[in-house]
Amino acid sequence: MKYDFKEIEPKWQKYWDEHESFKAETGSSKPKFYALVEFPYPSGAGMHVGHIKAYSGLEVVSRKRRLEGYNVLFPIGFDAYGLPTENTAIKTGVHPRVVTDRNIHKFTSQLRKVGFSFDWSRVVDTTDEGYYKWTQWIFLKMFENGLVFRDRTLVNYCPSCKVVLSNEDSQGGKCDVCHSDIIQKEKEVWYLRITQYADKLLEGLEKVDFLPNIKLQQENWIGKSTGAFVEFTIKENGEKLKIYTTRPDTLYGVTFMVMAPEHPLIEKYRGSIKNIAELDAYKDECAKKSEFERTQLVKDKTGVKIDGFTAINPVNDTEIPIYVSDYVMMGYGTGAIMAVPAHDTRDYEFANKFGIPIIEVIKGGDISKEAYTGDGEMVNSGELNGITNKKDAIAKVLTVLEKKGVGEAGVQYKMKDWAFNRQRYWGEPIPIVHCPKCGMVAVPYEELPLKLPPVENFQPGSDGESPLAKIDSFVNCKCPKCGGDAKRETDTMPQWAGSSWYFLRYCDPKNDTALASQEALKYWLPVDWYNGGMEHVTRHLIYSRFWHRFLYDIGAVPVDEPYAKRTAQGLILGPDGVKMSKSRGNVVDPNDVVDEYGADVLRVYVLFMGDYEQAAPWSESSLKGCKRFLERIWALQDIMTDDEQYSKELSAAFHRTIKKVSSDIEQLKFNTAIAAMMTLLNQISDKGSITKGEMKSLLTMLNPFAPHITEEMYHTLFGGILSEQSWVTYDEALCVEDTIEIVVQINGKVRAKMNIAADADQDTMITAALENETVKPLLEGKTIIKKIAVPKKLVNIVVK
């Protein structure tokens, strides 16, 4: 009988659904396992095969855990706020709510069609009022605790999307949504003080099991550095120009300083700066550039010397010029830097362009040719002269600075506070009221959620103003504090808001009195295993760890780190070996694969195609190979015997395969687990039969990968429900074969192969080799010089 996946797969999906086979139970006496995948953004294009691979890893682990007796929480939801949906609504005139619901319906049907074992009773949608009530609640708690502030500053602005973007959303100077070039624009911005949690986020990395590369990327993004804050005096007005440097040992080599074109001291003393018009023009040019363009290392150095500012080097009282240049930003450090051209490449290029002196303070290079950035003996450095290592030189200069009262040791972070607002409609309203008398006032908790009002025009204003600003009934309100006339905040939260705590809501998704009950949080947290894309480890992963640690600090959650373990999957590339994209026409739709081959073939293939953590190209021929593999599994029903035990011939093979598959699943080595089962299938075929006991074990091993075909076969052959059975076990002692095959060499050339007892000693191996029917005639008339035996591998007979 042929395997009819079109009939069998919907049959079992319906069974699992009706029997709530994968429903997690809070408070169960079973050991708990919380597996988390990154919930999808429901785009109009629907899912692609990359989503299938992303979810299949922990799908296999979750199904195995249930068979091992765990109470498994494996949830799914939708991260549904954001610009793409709103842009679609603007283009089509269809409300974002309608677009979102339609897309969620499409994604849900695709996920169900593949047979994922999600707990569908816990689905969350970040755009649901019952969900974003708690997103707003967390925001207000942060506001209460001083972690929310507003500031007028230069921001990354996308002229196409008409929206402010954080650094994380505009990497490479491009908008993360539409990929247009970013410009700098001065705007009033909401910020979350994530920098206050920098050390806690770094410390937390020591407690978790994250891939080394994930930890490293988080550490680099936070970018903690140790150095010194040093004050230079501006000769003309006595102002202190504070800088931060990681190399205070090079202070004697400072020959110029650079300020950000937007530095407030320039505006303060513009009347005494002779070339202020030139500085203003340069500042205007800088405003047209993105932060990425301004801070690129490989670019032409531009700048203007300030005629009216001269700095005094605090360690040697030398007068040095001050420039403005685009590569210094007000948002980084102090908005000013000291420049040591002899030992910094960018400073060296700048000094050469503007004819600034270059003074060597570390021996070891040739500064007439290039900057020397290595270590060496300190020279031209006063009390530091003769010191030969950086650590001692820094310690010495810090004592000099502190003695003079012009500097001290300090710490800086590369990570900036999180720009937390969007001037768009489709996002969580920020629950703040602006009162002319009381200032910024929080919307009372009992009035949450502050609902997104229905609108017909989603177009943002030409200056990036939110569409909500056009709705008088929403904007005009009463101050919750004094009762006077006030105006609501009209910006909305960024898409990252809802995804920063969704894993908590899965624990108790229908709770309307708390984001989740303490009972549920204590039972399920932390997430035992979180898998997702590498592209999210410096944004979503940092943001969600920050929110969670804050909630822990205020007693809202019981653990300080949300994720015990984090892994990542590689991309599925197009058949052409290039990243899938609609423009290239190389996108593979999972629906097409399921329709033609069935869900189990797709599931097995996305895990068999290569190392799970690496990128791999789609291959139609390999897909067909997986189809043949499952067809051969189905055909085993025709050669099954009534024996309940393992056969003598295959016992060791089964124990070894169970051991390997069990281990490989835990290490995300799904491709080699499947390969081991394919090898076992070949051994069964060679033998010509399979016992009942062997069939049960094989179907159980394969079940997490191909649940539909294995459920059907198990139910047909044995009458039970496979997903309700137990995981297979192995005996280490029985993993060893009684006999093994070794080779016999004569003078290093293989002349025969023979089976021998696996535990045979060297003498037994040599005796058997000399008695071998193939070897015997080849030794006639020869003198044996030497006999070498390598246990379990070979015998080599040296003759002449």
Side-chain angles (χ1 to χ4, degrees):
M1 182 178 69
K2 193 182 173 190
Y3 175 56
D4 184 0
F5 68 83
K6 291 189 175 178
E7 179 187 331
I8 289 167
E9 290 182 350
K11 166 189 167 182
W12 285 104
Q13 288 164 16
K14 185 182 178 197
Y15 176 90
W16 297 326
D17 208 29
E18 289 176 349
H19 290 79
E20 297 182 323
S21 300
F22 311 121
K23 189 172 183 179
E25 184 188 335
T26 298
S28 165
S29 58
K30 292 180 180 179
K32 71 93 181 177
F33 180 73
Y34 184 174
L36 182 68
V37 291
E38 290 174 345
F39 62 168
Y41 179 80
S43 67
M47 292 175 63
H48 53 76
V49 287
H51 286 100
I52 307 302
K53 181 179 178 181
Y55 305 150
S56 291
L58 285 188
E59 157 74 356
V60 167
V61 173
S62 294
R63 282 185 178 269
K64 175 173 177 275
R65 284 287 187 281
R66 290 190 193 95
L67 293 166
E68 290 173 325
Y70 283 79
N71 177 30
V72 175
L73 172 54
F74 185 41
I76 195 66
F78 299 97
D79 187 13
Y81 271 133
L83 292 174
T85 295
E86 188 167 344
N87 289 342
T88 299
I90 290 168
K91 282 179 196 168
T92 61
V94 180
H95 194 280
R97 175 76 272 157
V98 176
V99 174
T100 297
D101 290 344
R102 191 169 60 205
N103 293 348
I104 286 176
H105 177 77
K106 183 175 184 178
F107 266 66
T108 300
S109 65
Q110 286 180 304
L111 288 166
R112 285 182 175 277
K113 205 171 178 181
V114 180
F116 285 116
S117 62
F118 294 126
D119 180 348
W120 290 101
S121 71
R122 293 175 183 255
V123 173
V124 300
D125 168 5
T126 57
T127 67
D128 181 75
E129 289 171 359
Y131 182 93
Y132 73 71
K133 167 184 178 178
W134 300 105
T135 308
Q136 292 173 334
W137 182 89
I138 297 169
F139 177 88
L140 289 183
K141 286 293 177 188
M142 287 187 163
F143 182 72
E144 264 180 39
N145 284 273
L147 290 176
V148 176
F149 70 100
R150 269 168 79 86
D151 193 15
R152 192 157 188 85
T153 184
L154 281 175
V155 295
N156 305 310
Y157 182 76
C158 175
S160 175
C161 291
K162 297 177 182 173
V163 69
V164 173
L165 297 170
S166 68
N167 284 352
E168 293 88 339
D169 295 330
S170 54
Q171 295 180 64
K174 300 283 185 184
C175 172
D176 210 34
V177 177
C178 71
H179 309 296
S180 299
D181 289 335
I182 297 301
I183 63 167
Q184 292 283 292
K185 187 168 183 151
E186 193 170 58
K187 281 193 77 70
E188 196 83 29
V189 176
W190 286 97
Y191 286 101
L192 299 188
R193 294 187 198 274
I194 191 172
T195 52
Q196 285 196 8
Y197 273 72
D199 281 326
K200 287 181 178 179
L201 292 172
L202 286 172
E203 288 160 12
L205 291 175
E206 295 171 14
K207 305 176 183 178
V208 294
D209 179 15
F210 287 8
L211 289 175
N213 189 26
I214 293 176
K215 279 191 179 181
L216 182 63
Q217 286 200 39
Q218 292 223 335
E219 287 166 358
N220 290 343
W221 191 266
I222 294 166
K224 183 178 183 177
S225 66
T226 55
F229 288 102
V230 184
E231 287 183 346
F232 287 72
T233 302
I234 299 177
K235 175 186 167 185
E236 289 81 356
N237 50 43
E239 289 278 2
K240 303 295 184 187
L241 193 56
K242 195 174 190 179
I243 62 96
Y244 173 80
T245 175
T246 58
R247 295 300 304 268
D249 53 319
T250 63
L251 265 163
Y252 286 89
V254 175
T255 57
F256 68 100
M257 297 187 76
V258 183
M259 296 169 71
E262 306 83 9
H263 201 288
L265 285 180
I266 296 172
E267 190 60 33
K268 184 175 179 180
Y269 292 100
R270 62 184 294 114
S272 61
I273 297 173
K274 299 184 180 75
N275 61 337
I276 191 65
E278 191 180 359
L279 296 183
D280 287 344
Y282 185 77
K283 178 183 171 184
D284 290 342
E285 280 302 308
C286 292
K288 297 173 187 173
K289 298 178 184 178
S290 69
E291 186 170 321
F292 176 77
E293 289 173 310
R294 285 180 62 168
T295 55
Q296 270 187 303
L297 284 172
V298 185
K299 70 180 182 73
D300 287 336
K301 303 299 177 284
T302 65
V304 179
K305 183 180 175 182
I306 305 175
D307 190 355
F309 278 12
T310 310
I312 307 294
N313 187 325
V315 293
N316 58 13
D317 295 328
T318 306
E319 293 188 6
I320 51 178
I322 304 176
Y323 288 75
V324 293
S325 183
D326 59 357
Y327 71 88
V328 179
M329 310 279 294
M330 276 311 299
Y332 282 102
T334 63
I337 64 160
M338 67 179 213
V340 186
H343 306 291
D344 180 275
T345 302
R346 178 155 54 185
D347 294 347
Y348 187 86
E349 291 170 0
F350 194 96
N352 275 325
K353 178 166 182 176
F354 290 94
I356 302 168
I358 299 172
I359 298 173
E360 180 183 54
V361 290
I362 303 172
K363 271 168 95 171
D366 183 354
I367 62 167
S368 66
K369 293 178 181 174
E370 62 182 355
Y372 174 62
T373 56
D375 292 335
E377 183 184 345
M378 302 302 298
V379 294
N380 302 319
S381 296
E383 294 120 297
L384 276 58
N385 284 340
I387 297 176
T388 55
N389 70 81
K390 183 169 72 174
K391 186 179 176 184
D392 289 348
I394 289 174
K396 179 69 174 175
V397 80
L398 283 172
T399 63
V400 172
L401 292 171
E402 286 167 6
K403 196 173 172 183
K404 289 188 169 192
V406 292
E408 61 184 358
V411 173
Q412 279 277 71
Y413 300 91
K414 188 175 128 193
M415 179 172 69
K416 295 168 72 173
D417 283 324
W418 177 6
F420 195 75
N421 55 323
R422 300 289 182 267
Q423 295 69 42
R424 298 297 291 258
Y425 170 71
W426 196 233
E428 299 92 342
I430 292 176
I432 296 290
V433 170
H434 299 280
C435 173
K437 184 178 171 185
C438 306
M440 293 188 294
V441 181
V443 170
Y445 287 108
E446 60 271 19
E447 291 182 17
L448 298 181
L450 173 59
K451 295 179 182 179
L452 199 57
V455 298
E456 293 179 8
N457 179 10
F458 323 113
Q459 290 279 2
S462 57
D463 64 342
E465 192 179 53
S466 166
L468 294 179
K470 303 170 192 168
I471 308 171
D472 290 342
S473 59
F474 176 79
V475 175
N476 297 319
C477 64
K478 296 296 180 184
C479 172
K481 211 171 196 178
C482 71
D485 289 342
K487 294 189 180 293
R488 290 194 190 283
E489 173 60 50
T490 58
D491 283 357
T492 52
M493 298 185 198
Q495 186 183 340
W496 304 104
S499 62
S500 290
W501 71 282
Y502 74 112
F503 52 93
L504 300 175
R505 191 63 174 171
Y506 282 143
C507 297
D508 193 9
K510 295 176 176 63
N511 194 322
D512 61 359
T513 60
L515 54 84
S517 74
Q518 285 298 309
E519 176 198 6
L521 293 171
K522 283 173 184 171
Y523 180 80
W524 288 113
L525 291 180
V527 172
D528 292 287
W529 194 336
Y530 190 12
N531 187 76
M534 282 301 294
E535 69 274 17
H536 291 141
V537 302
T538 54
R539 290 185 283 183
H540 158 66
L541 205 61
I542 285 180
Y543 292 161
S544 59
R545 288 183 59 228
F546 162 49
W547 276 42
H548 187 88
R549 185 54 193 258
F550 164 72
L551 290 170
Y552 173 76
D553 287 349
I554 64 168
V557 296
V559 295
D560 57 354
E561 280 291 329
Y563 319 119
K565 180 175 183 173
R566 167 73 187 209
T567 51
Q569 76 282 344
L571 295 172
I572 293 184
L573 306 174
D576 53 1
V578 180
K579 186 176 177 180
M580 288 187 184
S581 72
K582 283 190 287 184
S583 59
R584 286 197 183 94
N586 64 351
V587 174
V588 177
D589 185 334
N591 270 8
D592 295 342
V593 181
V594 173
D595 289 344
E596 187 173 351
Y597 298 98
D600 282 341
V601 172
L602 173 62
R603 291 170 62 111
V604 170
Y605 173 61
V606 296
L607 295 177
F608 182 61
M609 65 195 303
D611 184 334
Y612 186 70
E613 294 173 322
Q614 302 298 318
W618 185 266
S619 165
E620 201 71 21
S621 61
S622 295
L623 180 69
K624 289 174 181 173
C626 291
K627 176 176 180 281
R628 289 191 295 273
F629 167 60
L630 292 184
E631 286 172 343
R632 289 178 63 204
I633 292 286
W634 181 257
L636 291 177
Q637 295 172 93
D638 299 332
I639 59 169
M640 190 177 81
T641 68
D642 287 334
D643 192 348
E644 294 286 351
Q645 306 302 315
Y646 290 165
S647 62
K648 188 182 176 201
E649 301 93 323
L650 292 177
S651 177
F654 263 89
H655 281 278
R656 278 199 309 276
T657 306
I658 292 167
K659 179 183 178 181
K660 179 162 183 59
V661 171
S662 299
S663 171
D664 283 355
I665 287 174
E666 299 305 320
Q667 297 175 64
L668 300 182
K669 294 180 178 177
F670 305 115
N671 56 331
T672 55
I674 294 166
M677 288 185 278
M678 289 176 169
T679 300
L680 182 62
L681 177 60
N682 289 337
Q683 292 171 294
I684 294 166
S685 298
D686 290 344
K687 179 173 173 280
S689 65
I690 182 171
T691 69
K692 277 185 177 179
E694 291 166 348
M695 181 70 91
K696 284 180 180 177
S697 291
L698 179 59
L699 293 178
T700 305
M701 274 190 284
L702 184 57
N703 175 258
F705 299 87
H708 306 89
I709 189 171
T710 51
E711 283 279 20
E712 180 68 16
M713 289 177 67
Y714 195 94
H715 189 64
T716 301
L717 298 171
F718 309 116
I721 302 300
L722 180 46
S723 57
E724 296 169 6
Q725 306 306 311
S726 296
W727 184 247
V728 276
T729 57
Y730 64 90
D731 185 332
E732 188 70 56
L734 297 177
C735 289
V736 182
E737 287 203 63
D738 293 338
T739 61
I740 55 171
E741 185 179 72
I742 65 166
V743 298
V744 182
Q745 298 175 337
I746 299 177
N747 290 343
K749 289 188 177 179
V750 176
R751 296 300 187 186
K753 292 180 180 178
M754 64 180 189
N755 286 318
I756 194 165
D759 58 355
D761 59 21
Q762 290 176 312
D763 289 341
T764 305
M765 290 172 66
I766 290 168
T767 301
L770 294 173
E771 294 298 317
N772 184 272
E773 294 301 321
T774 306
V775 174
K776 256 184 177 176
L778 297 174
L779 296 177
E780 285 177 10
K782 302 279 194 314
T783 303
I784 296 176
I785 307 295
K786 198 173 185 182
K787 293 170 282 190
I788 304 161
V790 180
K792 300 184 188 296
K793 287 188 177 179
L794 61 86
V795 173
N796 184 23
I797 303 165
V798 182
V799 300
K800 69 174 184 178

